[in-house]
Amino acid sequence: MLRIHFTEVDLARLRVSAEPDPMWEVLSTLHRLQSRGGRWQFAAWHRKVRADLDAAGLSRSVRTMLFPLYPLGPYLPDFLTPPESEGGTAAAFDAILRLPGRQIHAELRLLDRVSPVPAWARRLDQDAERRDFTELIRRYHAVAVAPFTERATCGIVAHRALLARALLNRGVEGLLSSLGPRFRWHPPVLEVDYRTDRDLHLRGRGIRIVPTYFSWGTPVALADAGLPPVLSYPLTHPALPEDALPAENVPLGALLGCTRARVLRCVADGPTTGELAQLAGISLSAASRHASVLRDAGLTTSRQIGPTVLHTLTPLGAALLRQARGAEHESGAAPRDLP
């Protein structure tokens, strides 16, 4: 178990990432390729990425160079998920290249205690080898992560809507209580299901919470307690097959019907059932019925929070709505299914 100790200052400095963190997603996807965990949920992704890695000539390099440094185990080198990755891949790679060689060497020695480190990796404290290694990560990211960024973003946006509602209703402690079944908030300590027994004292530094689309199983924190605290954990939204979206340029009203299309647009704001009825201009029973149909179709999800039911978009629903808005923007026409 991981016990994260908060102060009042830390509660004020809690942040939840708004977009996928590329290096945490790289780590998670490499674990998906090495493990059967999440194989059913990410089956379509798994098939496509394995074929695309073969086509790009990356399969062997991924197996021999990336797998050994991203093993399934109790320890992962922190330099592979630098805090700068919040700013994107370019910032992350620049941070890795700027790290002192002695830090990388020290982290690889820690890794070698639990998982064998290949001889070539011991030269990563040298600039040329490190540039080649980050180029391999960049190429892997372009195949296994980048094509799915929009889908991952939609999942994180939907998840953040749930957390935002909990924050507005019950404050930051309500947010911490809503992170999922792997978390238990016992003020001032957040207990997290974890691979090892550990305490993390924030001491006023705050913490960045990173929902990770391709993660599976237990959350992951940086090993070095001296680094800016980060906690990555898996989204609960289901992954979707690559062919889940309907054909492009299908008007949303024609696909769903005018009223249901309007309800889907309103769900984008994360309303309760009562708010949904008011926003869509329909009765409470009609709002509940339309929400149920959209939920059964995989376009929305509903969650009980206290006495109310909160509706949010799934990644499929968010992508469908984004696609419809793009088609409307290109045509220059106003949405015909809005009042």
Side-chain angles (χ1 to χ4, degrees), residues 242-257:
E242 65 274 6
D243 57 355
L245 290 177
E248 293 185 4
N249 300 324
V250 176
L252 199 57
L255 184 68
L256 300 176

Side-chain angles (χ1 to χ4, degrees), residues 148-167:
F148 308 91
T149 296
E150 180 174 352
R151 189 180 304 170
T153 300
C154 291
I156 289 175
V157 168
H159 180 67
R160 276 169 54 93
L162 293 171
L163 296 182
R165 176 63 62 130
L167 177 66

Side-chain angles (χ1 to χ4, degrees), residues 22-230:
M23 300 306 285
W24 283 104
E25 297 293 352
V26 164
L27 183 155
S28 298
T29 53
L30 286 166
H31 283 183
R32 298 291 65 72
L33 292 173
Q34 297 179 73
S35 168
R36 298 197 65 82
R39 183 63 57 87
W40 178 85
Q41 185 184 27
F42 297 107
W45 171 87
H46 195 273
R47 289 193 301 271
K48 177 173 174 54
V49 167
R50 284 179 64 92
D52 290 348
L53 289 173
D54 282 339
L58 289 173
S59 294
R60 186 175 184 276
S61 296
V62 168
R63 289 194 305 270
T64 61
M65 299 182 70
L66 295 187
F67 283 3
L69 265 64
Y70 292 82
L72 298 166
Y75 175 77
L76 294 165
D78 289 331
F79 76 86
L80 297 174
T81 51
E84 292 83 355
S85 65
E86 185 177 12
T89 54
F93 295 151
D94 183 61
I96 293 174
L97 293 173
R98 287 188 288 105
L99 281 174
R102 63 182 180 278
Q103 178 177 336
I104 292 180
H105 185 64
E107 292 185 10
L108 290 178
R109 281 190 301 173
L110 289 175
L111 176 61
D112 197 45
R113 294 178 183 176
V114 295
S115 181
V117 172
W120 66 265
R122 302 179 190 280
R123 297 192 297 273
L124 285 176
D125 57 354
Q126 302 176 29
D127 293 343
E129 282 74 7
R130 208 181 312 172
R131 281 194 297 270
D132 291 342
F133 182 65
T134 56
E135 174 60 18
L136 174 59
I137 299 175
R138 185 197 65 77
R139 294 179 63 197
Y140 172 81
H141 177 274
V143 172
V145 178
F148 308 91
T149 296
E150 180 174 352
R151 189 180 304 170
T153 300
C154 291
I156 289 175
V157 168
H159 180 67
R160 276 169 54 93
L162 293 171
L163 296 182
R165 176 63 62 130
L167 177 66
L168 291 172
N169 286 342
R170 294 179 286 144
V172 68
E173 292 189 345
L175 184 155
L176 290 170
S177 299
S178 303
L179 289 174
R182 299 176 180 87
F183 299 84
R184 292 164 297 280
W185 174 241
H186 301 297
V189 178
L190 181 65
E191 295 180 350
V192 186
D193 291 342
Y194 206 64
R195 294 174 178 173
T196 59
D197 192 69
R198 177 185 171 195
D199 287 272
L200 174 59
H201 295 268
L202 300 181
R203 296 189 176 94
R205 295 173 296 168
I207 189 169
R208 181 166 70 98
I209 304 293
V210 184
T212 308
Y213 187 77
F214 287 102
S215 183
W216 185 265
T218 58
V220 180
L222 296 178
D224 186 350
L227 292 173
V230 175

Side-chain angles (χ1 to χ4, degrees), residues 327-334:
E328 291 157 2
H329 177 74
E330 291 177 4
S331 66

